[in-house]
Amino acid sequence: MLDDDLLERLSHPPRKSVNLMVKVDPSKLNFISMVVDGHGRIALPRTRSGKQGILDFLTSPDFVDDLYLILDDIKKNYDPTLEIVKDLGDNWLEAVT
């Protein structure tokens, strides 16, 4: 699910946060957001585009592995279209537009 370049960039802490942009089936967007949010606040979901199925997940570097486990499970069992589009990192200008 994750390409080698993204894994390499995410393996160099410290970072203030990890902000992943994820594309999902728009009809499953709310479900996926609630599943991630319901796992003890591992990540903070934010809908970027409901029509396109684009979500952001903001998490701390300590919880990235847990977030990947959740996203992998969702991809295998609920939404095979789920893909991580990019890591926005600490670039808040890009993250909020």
Side-chain angles (χ1 to χ4, degrees):
M1 183 165 122
L2 303 174
D3 65 6
D4 292 335
D5 181 50
L6 179 58
L7 286 172
E8 176 65 26
R9 286 185 291 145
L10 293 175
S11 67
H12 297 294
R15 290 175 66 176
K16 295 177 188 172
S17 63
V18 175
N19 190 355
L20 298 179
M21 183 188 295
V22 178
K23 183 166 177 40
V24 300
D25 178 345
S27 68
K28 297 179 181 174
L29 185 136
N30 190 43
F31 170 77
I32 292 169
S33 178
M34 289 175 26
V35 166
V36 172
D37 191 41
H39 275 83
R41 308 295 268 165
I42 284 176
L44 177 65
R46 182 179 77 104
T47 302
R48 181 177 288 266
S49 172
K51 289 182 180 180
Q52 296 177 5
I54 306 288
L55 285 166
D56 290 348
F57 291 111
L58 179 64
T59 189
S60 75
D62 296 336
F63 291 114
V64 169
D65 291 337
D66 295 326
L67 179 59
Y68 288 148
L69 288 174
I70 294 166
L71 293 177
D72 279 338
D73 184 65
I74 291 170
K75 183 175 179 81
K76 288 177 189 171
N77 296 304
Y78 301 101
D79 184 4
T81 69
L82 186 149
E83 72 172 293
I84 296 175
V85 176
K86 66 191 253 179
D87 170 24
L88 301 174
D90 292 326
N91 183 350
W92 288 105
L93 288 177
E94 184 175 1
V96 297
T97 58

